């Protein structure tokens, strides 16, 4: 579908506002941009902070959108003042809009920079991922430039208790639409924010199914794979406790933990303390093609997610989507929107969070029952094709962009 077909007089040109780009853990952003570009949507990317990682998804090289990078901190008052002076000259009604601006000086400078580029390039809509800094800047830049914006709220930006309020109510109210990635999130936003969440919609994160060809589950090595950042909400400490229980039962298996993060030393110490170093290998971050190959041959992928003490939690881990698309059975937990994807006994096993015994029992069940694995393999792929196809889901998002621009254009004309 041509994203411009419904409104040929208003060519769609979208600026993506992201805190950092690229980020190894944000595969969904790359998937989304690539899906848009396959349909001819013109996109520019605005990155608000420096790249911090050393490993990236292979899909990054396929993105055609140019990237404009900004400093995340402003250290020269004279540079900010010069930027403001330029905005007075270039942006309509800037004085009034500046007086009403609601952000810190760093976000203000980024908002002005983005707004100036929007006007210069002819961008007519902004979309941000995560309802924190990126949406703060997208909202203010859209106001300065006189265009519309939307944003996608994922998980931490919804549930984490930040020192400074995220102000999702204001951001949802002012946006053309607020997207979130699960029905669980949507229900929470509507319950917490009432009428301010009236324009919130659910669009699942999708994936390019051509990169994840299905293989029916056959006889596989007793290999358990876990992939993710080594942070509290991933629950990998619970996985290690569960593996220790299986070792006490003399259950033969090996487990590979892929990823890097703040808890690397702590988890390594836990492996040593539990005496499971002979069955668990930590390999650090790996390129996506290697992870996909490991998924294809693993007995299962386990994502033992938890809600951390500060409220942070996973929305719908991409690793589960990828594994189910490939036909590898999954085990996860009853956290946030995960049960929408991992329906217990139908598309996988979904156990209570922070319950090593339940997790151990689930892993042993899949290690021993290949008929059940084959059932989960087929059902999981069917669900992914039905609900998580990136091309279909990105088309829904483009319709929101189109409606926003068309409505704004119509309002300006009337």
């Amino acid at each position: 579908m041509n994203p411009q077909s419904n409104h040929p007089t208003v060519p769609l040109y979208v600026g993506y506002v992201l805190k950092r780009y690229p980020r190894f853990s944000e595969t969904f952003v790359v998937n989304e941009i690539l899906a848009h570009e396959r349909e001819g949507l013109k996109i520019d990317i605005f990155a608000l902070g420096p790249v911090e990682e050393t490993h990236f998804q292979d899909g990054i090289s396929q993105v055609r959108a140019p990237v404009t990078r900004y400093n995340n901190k402003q250290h020269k008052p004279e540079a900010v003042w010069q930027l403001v002076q330029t905005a007075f000259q270039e942006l309509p009604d800037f004085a009034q809009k500046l007086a009403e601006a609601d952000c810190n000086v760093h976000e203000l400078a980024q908002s002005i920079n983005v707004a100036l580029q929007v006007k210069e390039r002819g961008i007519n809509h902004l979309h941000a991922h995560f309802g924190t800094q990126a949406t703060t800047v997208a909202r203010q830049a859209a106001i300065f430039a006189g265009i519309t914006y939307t944003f996608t709220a994922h998980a931490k930006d919804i549930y984490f208790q930040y020192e400074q309020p995220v102000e999702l109510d204001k951001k949802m109210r002012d946006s053309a639409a607020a997207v979130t990635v699960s029905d669980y999130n949507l229900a929470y936003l509507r319950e917490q924010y009432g009428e301010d969440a009236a324009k919130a919609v659910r669009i699942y994160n999708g994936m390019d199914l051509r990169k994840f060809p299905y293989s029916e589950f056959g006889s596989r090595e007793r290999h358990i794979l876990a992939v993710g950042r080594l942070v509290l909400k991933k629950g990998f400490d619970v996985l290690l406790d569960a593996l220790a229980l299986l070792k006490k039962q003399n259950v033969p298996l090996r487990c590979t933990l892929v990823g890097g993060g703040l808890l690397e030393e702590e988890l390594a110490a836990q492996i040593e303390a539990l005496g499971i170093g002979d069955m668990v290998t930590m390999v650090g971050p790996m390129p996506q093609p290697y992870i996909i190959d490991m998924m294809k041959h693993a007995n299962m992928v386990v994502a033992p997610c938890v809600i951390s003490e500060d409220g942070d939690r996973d929305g719908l881990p991409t690793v589960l989507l990828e594994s189910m698309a490939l036909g590898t059975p999954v085990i996860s937990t009853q956290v946030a929107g995960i049960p929408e994807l991992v329906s217990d006994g139908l598309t996988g096993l979904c156990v209570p969070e922070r319950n090593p015994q339940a997790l151990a029992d689930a892993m042993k069940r899949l290690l021993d029952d290949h008929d059940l694995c084959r059932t989960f393999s087929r059902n999981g792929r069917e669900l992914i094709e039905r609900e998580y196809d990136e091309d279909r889901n990105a088309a829904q998002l483009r319709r929101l962009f189109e409606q926003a621009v068309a409505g704004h254009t119509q309002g300006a004309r009337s």
Side-chain angles (χ1 to χ4, degrees):
M1 183 190 81
N2 185 332
Q4 302 167 12
S5 58
N6 291 338
H7 309 287
T9 59
V10 186
L12 194 56
Y13 185 1
V14 178
Y16 261 64
V17 182
L18 307 168
K19 182 177 179 180
R20 302 185 195 280
Y21 176 87
R23 293 197 74 179
F24 184 73
S25 61
E26 294 178 3
T27 311
F28 49 85
V29 174
V30 177
N31 290 344
E32 186 174 292
I33 291 172
L34 288 173
H36 289 323
E37 290 189 333
R38 283 195 292 272
E39 292 299 313
L41 179 62
K42 188 175 183 181
I43 293 175
D44 285 5
I45 298 170
F46 299 100
L48 308 180
V51 176
E52 293 185 334
E53 285 125 320
T54 57
H55 294 74
F56 305 106
Q57 312 95 331
D58 59 323
I60 293 292
S61 63
Q62 301 167 31
V63 174
R64 299 190 301 273
V67 182
T68 304
R69 302 188 183 279
Y70 298 115
N71 294 328
N72 57 344
K73 297 294 183 183
Q74 310 302 317
H75 301 293
K76 297 181 179 179
E78 61 275 13
V80 176
W81 178 242
Q82 181 58 54
L83 189 61
V84 170
Q85 293 300 305
T86 302
F88 274 117
Q89 297 171 11
E90 302 292 335
L91 300 175
D93 303 319
F94 180 72
Q96 178 183 341
K97 294 173 180 177
L98 178 62
E100 298 171 354
D102 185 14
C103 54
N104 63 43
V105 66
H106 310 295
E107 294 162 341
L108 177 65
Q110 291 178 328
S111 300
I112 294 172
N113 271 314
V114 173
L116 289 169
Q117 289 302 305
V118 163
K119 299 299 287 186
E120 181 178 324
R121 303 179 193 183
I123 293 169
N124 51 17
H125 185 77
L126 294 175
H127 184 72
H129 270 277
F130 294 93
T132 44
Q133 179 190 357
T135 301
T136 299
V137 171
R139 173 186 173 274
Q140 194 60 57
I143 291 172
F144 285 152
I147 64 170
T148 53
Y149 79 95
T150 50
F151 70 100
T152 300
H154 291 267
K156 183 174 182 178
D157 49 340
I158 298 174
Y159 303 107
F160 184 75
Q161 300 300 312
Y162 293 92
E163 290 184 13
Q164 296 296 323
V166 176
E167 298 184 310
L168 282 179
D169 50 350
K170 176 179 67 179
K171 292 170 179 174
M172 289 190 291
R173 188 169 61 245
D174 293 346
S175 68
V179 177
T180 193
V181 298
S182 70
D183 288 328
Y184 176 94
N185 286 355
L186 184 59
Y188 178 87
L189 291 171
R190 288 175 174 171
E191 179 181 344
Q192 288 292 116
Y193 297 102
E195 189 61 28
D196 288 332
K199 290 178 283 187
V201 297
R202 186 270 290 155
I203 300 177
Y204 286 127
N205 283 337
M207 54 192 305
D208 182 358
L209 296 181
R210 291 167 294 190
K211 291 174 57 179
F212 296 87
Y214 174 72
S215 297
E216 186 171 352
F217 187 92
S219 179
R220 300 192 186 185
E221 183 187 357
R222 296 168 69 88
H223 180 204
I224 294 169
L225 181 63
V227 182
R229 288 182 298 130
L230 305 184
V231 295
L232 287 171
K233 68 180 179 180
K234 297 297 183 180
F236 291 136
D237 58 324
V238 183
L239 172 62
L240 298 181
D241 286 340
L243 291 169
L245 293 175
L246 293 178
K247 182 169 184 178
K248 289 179 180 177
Q249 299 175 41
N250 295 314
V251 176
L253 64 90
R254 70 181 181 93
C255 176
T256 303
L257 179 53
V258 180
L262 297 174
L263 299 182
E264 185 172 351
E265 292 185 5
E266 188 174 322
L267 291 172
Q270 184 181 355
I271 289 170
E272 184 175 354
L274 292 171
I276 55 175
D278 57 335
M279 62 194 301
V280 182
T281 304
M282 296 176 65
V283 297
M286 297 180 69
Q288 191 180 45
Y290 290 90
I291 296 173
I292 290 173
D293 186 64
M294 293 177 73
M295 282 182 180
K296 287 179 179 178
H297 298 96
N299 194 143
M300 70 193 76
V301 168
V302 179
C305 306
V306 302
I307 300 175
S308 60
E309 292 181 0
D310 55 19
D312 193 13
R313 68 201 75 180
D314 254 322
L316 284 174
T318 302
V319 64
L320 293 174
L321 298 176
E322 294 173 347
S323 181
M324 292 168 69
L326 292 168
T328 297
V330 298
I331 299 173
S332 195
T333 53
Q334 298 159 6
V335 168
I338 292 173
E340 297 171 39
L341 177 67
V342 186
S343 178
D344 188 48
L346 181 64
T347 61
L349 294 178
C350 199
V351 302
E353 63 167 321
R354 301 185 188 277
N355 190 326
Q357 187 63 63
L359 184 59
D361 292 343
M363 290 189 291
K364 185 175 187 300
R365 187 177 173 191
L366 288 191
L367 287 168
D368 295 338
D369 191 342
H370 281 193
D371 287 338
L372 185 61
C373 287
R374 278 187 283 273
T375 298
F376 289 164
S377 174
R378 289 191 298 268
N379 292 349
R381 175 68 186 200
E382 289 174 3
L383 176 64
I384 295 297
E385 289 180 355
R386 188 170 65 248
E387 298 285 353
Y388 297 89
D389 183 326
E390 181 59 75
D391 289 319
R392 184 180 299 121
N393 295 3
Q396 295 180 49
L397 192 55
R398 285 195 301 279
R399 283 193 287 273
L400 291 180
F401 299 166
E402 291 170 346
Q403 291 163 6
V405 172
H408 182 70
T409 303
Q410 184 64 35
R413 288 173 180 168
S414 60

